[in-house]
Amino acid sequence: MATLEEEFTLSTGVLGAGPEGFLGVEQTDKADQFLVTDSGRTVVLYKVSDQKPLGSWSVKQGQSITCPAVCNFQTGEYIMVHDHKVLRIWNNDDVNVDKVFKATLSAEVHRIHSVQRTEPLVLFRGGAARGLEALLVEPQQNIESVIPDEEVIVWSEVFMLFKQPVLIFITENHGHYYAYVRLCKSHSLSKYTLLLEKEEKSVKPNFTARVDGKFISLVSLSSDGCIYETLIPIYSSDTEQNQRLVRALMLKSVVSGGVRNGVALTILDQDHIAVLGPPLSASKECLSIWNIKFQTLQTSKELPQGTSGQLWYHGEVLFMLHGKSLTVIPYKCEESSLAGALGKLKHTQESGTHSVPHFVNWETCSGYELGSSGAEQSRTLRRKKVETNLQPEVPGFKQLLSIIKKDSEKHIEVELRKFLAKSTPAFHTIIGDLVAGLVGRCKAEPSFYPRNCLTQLIQTHVLSYSLCPDLMEIALEHTDVQMLQLCLQQFPDIPESTTCACLKLFLSVGDDCLRDSNINMESVFDYSDSTQDEKKEMEEQIEIVQNGFGPEDGNCSEDSQQLNDKPADTAHEPGSFPVTSCPVAPKRAALLNAVLHSAYSEPFLLPHLKDIPAKHVTLFLQYLYFLYLKCTGSATMTLPGVNPPTVSQIMDWICLLLDANFTVLLMIPEAKRLLLILYNFVKSQISIYSELNKIAVSFRELQRLNREKSSRGLYSIEVLELF
Amino acid sequence: MVEEGVRVVRCGGSRLNFRRAVFSVDSKYIFCVSGDFVKVYSTTTEECVHILHGHTDLVSGILVNPSNHLQLYSCSFDGTIKLWDYVDGILIKTFTIGPKLHAFFIPLHAEDSVFLTISKEEPDIFQLVSVKLPKSTSQDVEARQLTFVLDYINRSPKCIAFGNEGEYVAAVRDFYLSVYFFKKKKTCNFTLPSTKNKKNAKNKFTCVACHPKEDCIASGHMDGKIRLWRNFHSDQKYTYTCLHWHHDMVMDLAFTVTGTSLLSGGRECVLVEWRDGSEKNKEFLPRLGSSIEHISVSPAGDLFCTSHSDNKITVIHRNLDASAVIQGLVKDRSISTGLMVDPRTKALVLNGKPGHLQFYSLQGDKQLYNLDIIQQEYINDEGLTQTELTKAAFGCSGTWLATVEQRQENENELELQMKLWNYSKKTQGFVLNTKIAMPHDDHITALCFNNAESYEKPILVTASRDGHFKVWILTDDSDIYKKAIAWTCDFVGSYHKYQATNCCFSEDGSLLAVSFEEIVTIWDSQTWELKCTFCQRAGKIRHLCFGRLTCSKYLLGTTDNGILCCWNLLSCSIQWSAKLNVRVMEPDPYSDHVAAVAQSSAGSDLFVFKPSEPRPLYIQKNVSREEVQWGVFVPRDVPESFTSETHQWLNRSQFYFLTKSQSLLTFSTKSPEEKLTPTSKQLLAEESLPTTPFSFILGKHRQQQGAKLTETSENELVQLPLTENIPAITELLHTPAHVLPSASFLCSLFVNSLLLSKETKSAEEVPDDVDMEGNKESDDSDEEYDLTEKDKETNNNTDLGEDAIHQLSKSEEKELRKFRKVDYSWLTAL
């Protein structure tokens, strides 16, 4: 993020800053030292870190500096022009400007541009440009006029591009603006007409530029307060003169429109731009840093004493005139990335006015059939048509939102039911907003909890966790297990942390709370079968588990034998293992089933599972094991009932729980038996599968033989010997 | 600036093998249909010399004008026949017929009548009609007097042939051969005797050809047999002999000019020459690459050419040596890679030949090269499960190319392979760097590179139906033998066990979006941490892309239920959504515009919008009646400067799209007239030379010579009236022979300069030779022309001996003026 550091002022005792401000602030060959030229007669060299002047030079009374002093980076000398035509060159040791080198030129100078790695470039009012050395050889040389007489240079800049200085300047003529690009080495000059909106011709726009690949990106701040970008090709391929350039909107409403003075802008880096001027809300002037890419205001600083509308950026320092003094603001910026900006505006938008997301039906939009006659008129008509399409199509929606903000639960419910009765194409976006509205009010007023409304909305099947992340949080706060169950069933994108929080709640919630709640029991079959049945089932089930591995099969046998014996004994002791009756109440089972059904990613879930208390983990494991036994009890490996948990879901959760809490479980005496059973069970499974694999191979071979035979189209008698 | 409406235009890549190619009489050019255009190629250099623009629908037939070998007829589905001067690329005349024209024939000695295949009111019933092309001076002529010839014919022009100097026409359909004799006005019908026999059920007719000299018809059949019919003047006494070599259907037949040999071709990719119509005497040209669809023979008899199913034309010498290959955009198979742009060459990249990736230049409208990805021999047979190239992506400004190939014999056996190719500057091509077998357990649904400039290390992400997305990075793979870099898997991500369907990186590369069915997940590309999810419950995500430039904070997604969503990543909420059944969504990499092609009942509609605003900037309804399958923005070399909001999206890039029937279309604001001018401006510049580097050298010389000629002619015009002193001739004689252009060229130039009448016409675009007298244009040069005509007449009448010199000088003056004109045109053109 970009930051503006503490500002400080440079003493302006020697400087006479007029109302227009300074002529310029320029870099020197030494870092931290800057040449400040005031609009009168003085040039001061400042060392910024010390905040003090190192030297100052003035021209004689009657003379006036017309062009800001610059530093020749190749020689370290300072150059300035006074009285339009008189060039002065001096260095640090010189005291009196009158005694230094003087050259009178034949034409009026507009500016001297000096950049690193090249000689200074003198730009004349007529648009011609000369290198300083060439000019000094023959100061009185004839300077041609490049631009028409009526055009006046309003802004100019020099860039180094592939070791070649590129000069760009903008001229104005009765509200028309033209850009010229001069390649100094190849002496080519291209002229472009800048196309501005009509109403802007009266006000002078502000310009700044940077090089962007093969283009110069000319950024201008217009009187409507918006920043526009114009791309000017550096190497013009078209020989045609006077090409027109279109500008594109870059930033909207940066400063309030209609402000004529005190507005300036400068590009800081690839993504950031500094703007000086009053922002929309405040009338006070402000220095603000905007991120172009994300169109966001990064930081801003109020300047209560007003500015001159001049802004310079050198190195990492911003210069401006604040009140009567030259203010320096160091600026720092990290490289911005979308990842860094992600979600940064989340809370500001929620707290502010809740904007309605647009829903548009583009399929009804009419095409642009551009005809030649009356194109303009019809185009505006068509735009109107499109605009009308943009309006949210539900008239009652806004009313409903305001009702949600104020009215009683009852009233909201009635209105909501009315609203849901008529479905519209914009349904899904609107539902999201309604829930956001309700949840927002819930957060603000702890007593407000419109469960019926929320349930109704969830049941429209268009909500997801991402759309209303706070909904489940509130339900968790209210320990509304019914709502949570519904959410778990409906939302495909619940984060694992929330799933886990639900699980914790379901395991810990009191029985009395469960009794009152109206829980969907679809996924739970009738667990309250007579114990007799259970036992019978249990016995059958054991046989099935046995199937596939012989009792005489190695070391497994003892354990399994144990297993076979134990249930009969322990079945009579409630609360011990293995489980023959459901370890949890049916309502709780229904809730846990909802958790089992919900989607999750293992790596995200594991860390959260560790937080579940050991007591609850064992309970949940018991329940899962019970479900598993029920599953294997049926031939189809499914549980009875509507939409029950599947075997793989049960197995996955057993594995996850064990993975997450294995060390803890090892320590708990109650869990020991369960672990042992599971261990044996896994062992037996492995042997079953290995046997099955063997059979599968031989069956495949048989199948292959069969296929070969049948493909011949002949009859045959075959004897298949399996063993 | 006046801005014209945006139109959908075909932009090349059309089928060259739609109809038989046609040779010019001197075998220097070969003409072939190409969408709405006719293309003129040089047979020696394979370069496209001219493109004849003018038809507004598919061109369905081309033929050289039998009465003027420098003119070409073409007919089209737009119901017109056009006459072209193919040397200059000028449209001479348009005959409006009316109905959709499917095929077009001009038999010898037909006296201005041409034969056309049109469909009757009922669909799929076609009839052959003849029409007399009226002689008229005007450019547009109506000819709607159709004379019925044959009914119930096949629509393909291969099923109709005119024989023995136009005495009869033979047409085949299903199991019938009908021969109509023009003089007797009688039709003979022959049915294959064994149609009811089960064994011969496959012997349907596929094509027919007639012997140029004798009464002999050759017909090709589905079962690979060729029958030579003779004595077919009566229904009873006909005979036929059988030639059998092809194992699959005979796709086309052609007799050589003299009729001594018969050429046949089919799916075997082998051209068979049957000498003297006997089975024993045959020659083969094998390994032609893909099925032969058409065969044609040059009138001079020195060249053959075959059109292949992969949009290729092969020019073959008489001695069965392939001499030139003209390759168009390969459209043999389904495009599964989609359209891509090679950042290096700006060429369009898509599936090409089986197992290949083709690089196609849109500017030049020709294939640049094929990259063999699968690197296996392709066996051309039905019912084989082939390894298919399914996905490809370019990364890091063209230095890396990732490809995915798969082969699925049955549901459980999937073979997947991902290959990464590095661009080698030395060889100027892609070199295989890493081969990854089974990168995923199921189909790869998407792959993308992180193309942000700020990341030095390239990153590739693949998403698969197995529920994972994998991140691949470039690592050091050096050992003691070599220094190398290779790609390895860096991270595997999944979300709630859903299938991963799409993936894309944000513009600055800091975020990765992966869609899992109806949920979009956002991951940090530095830490591979899940940052947030979006789920709009509007169906599974079909496309996913980030906005660019000023809109880079937006994420766009389209769903199966026809909703287009735009999420704001800064606020992590939905910004707007629109109801639109999007088939193709493509962001422009150079601007913040996004193009979406939606499918509606009427056809496909284009919407261009900026993610920042919930309104389309530009809508074009019904860009194509078919479903649009793929689209891509191709950057322009020179940006346009449209100012209006609706046209700004055309400034930096051009949107190309591919429909289901694989026609490549684009949007353009240029009117067809504007597009036409450059070709007609070329005028006589190239004369009869194809544009080769050599011709450019020659052309330069010619230009200088021409300039000299004009100079001298101006100076010495009056003083030297003698024939020997014509400056052109002296110049010619004084120039050393080795710097002169070829004699044949100079000769034609010289003759051209003498043939004033002809020159005038082609320069002024006077429509037709025959209609000269009727031409009432009061043009300067025309008057001149009349004068010379009179002069010539007087010349002929009076004795040659007396006034010859004087008369000659006068006509010579005209000649030289003409000469100047010709030279001038060179100067402008070169």
Side-chain angles (χ1 to χ4, degrees), chain A residues 224-413:
Chain A
D224 58 355
C226 299
I227 294 179
Y228 294 89
E229 185 187 33
T230 312
L231 289 180
I232 304 173
I234 294 170
Y235 305 107
S236 170
S237 55
D238 219 335
T239 48
E240 183 197 332
Q241 282 295 304
N242 207 356
Q243 301 161 67
R244 290 131 58 91
L245 292 173
V246 191
R247 60 182 197 172
L249 187 68
M250 200 179 198
L251 273 178
K252 246 189 209 169
S253 316
V254 172
V255 293
S256 59
V259 176
R260 310 238 156 174
N261 294 314
V263 182
L265 83 167
T266 183
I267 290 176
L268 302 172
D269 60 29
Q270 196 86 357
D271 300 331
H272 293 90
I273 197 161
V275 181
L276 196 63
L280 288 182
S281 47
S283 58
K284 290 243 175 73
E285 289 193 25
C286 233
L287 173 70
S288 33
I289 311 285
W290 287 80
N291 187 316
I292 304 162
K293 210 188 251 166
F294 307 134
Q295 319 250 305
T296 49
L297 179 66
Q298 299 277 323
T299 179
S300 74
K301 191 163 228 151
E302 267 200 22
L303 303 165
Q305 293 168 42
T307 67
S308 60
Q310 281 173 307
L311 188 64
W312 295 272
Y313 176 65
H314 294 297
E316 290 181 331
V317 198
L318 280 160
F319 296 89
M320 80 206 69
L321 189 72
H322 184 203
K324 284 277 168 200
S325 54
L326 184 66
T327 304
V328 181
I329 304 180
Y331 157 81
K332 280 227 175 73
C333 182
E334 293 160 24
E335 202 178 315
S336 66
S337 74
L338 192 58
L342 181 72
K344 283 278 153 64
L345 286 180
K346 210 174 190 172
H347 302 291
T348 53
Q349 199 170 42
E350 266 170 30
S351 58
T353 51
H354 189 85
S355 63
V356 182
H358 289 283
F359 181 81
V360 208
N361 193 347
W362 282 4
E363 278 171 358
T364 56
C365 287
S366 58
Y368 290 90
E369 303 110 2
L370 291 178
S372 52
S373 62
E376 199 55 47
Q377 198 185 357
S378 57
R379 203 175 296 167
T380 50
L381 273 175
R382 251 178 261 121
R383 185 162 302 160
K384 266 184 200 156
K385 212 171 179 180
V386 175
E387 299 283 356
T388 53
N389 270 327
L390 293 179
Q391 299 304 320
E393 287 173 10
V394 190
F397 166 64
K398 283 211 169 138
Q399 287 171 332
L400 192 60
L401 260 187
S402 59
I403 288 169
I404 281 172
K405 287 217 172 98
K406 284 173 290 199
D407 287 14
S408 68
E409 251 182 82
K410 261 269 158 55
H411 188 208
I412 294 173
E413 210 180 314

Side-chain angles (χ1 to χ4, degrees), chain A residues 190-254:
Chain A
S190 336
K191 180 182 180 178
Y192 304 93
T193 309
L194 299 180
L195 297 177
L196 307 172
E197 295 288 321
K198 271 174 199 143
E199 66 266 27
E200 272 162 44
K201 288 186 176 161
S202 54
V203 185
K204 175 183 147 189
N206 275 280
F207 295 101
T208 179
R210 64 170 169 180
V211 176
D212 178 17
K214 278 194 268 178
F215 294 91
I216 294 171
S217 153
L218 181 73
V219 178
S220 58
L221 179 64
S222 285
S223 58
D224 58 355
C226 299
I227 294 179
Y228 294 89
E229 185 187 33
T230 312
L231 289 180
I232 304 173
I234 294 170
Y235 305 107
S236 170
S237 55
D238 219 335
T239 48
E240 183 197 332
Q241 282 295 304
N242 207 356
Q243 301 161 67
R244 290 131 58 91
L245 292 173
V246 191
R247 60 182 197 172
L249 187 68
M250 200 179 198
L251 273 178
K252 246 189 209 169
S253 316
V254 172

Side-chain angles (χ1 to χ4, degrees), chain A residues 338 345 360 463-464 496 601, chain B residues 496 508 535 537 569-570 579:
Chain A
L338 192 58
L345 286 180
V360 208
L463 281 180
S464 67
E496 283 71 11
S601 308
Chain B
H496 288 193
D508 62 358
C535 178
R537 302 306 294 272
L569 292 168
L570 298 191
K579 177 143 184 61

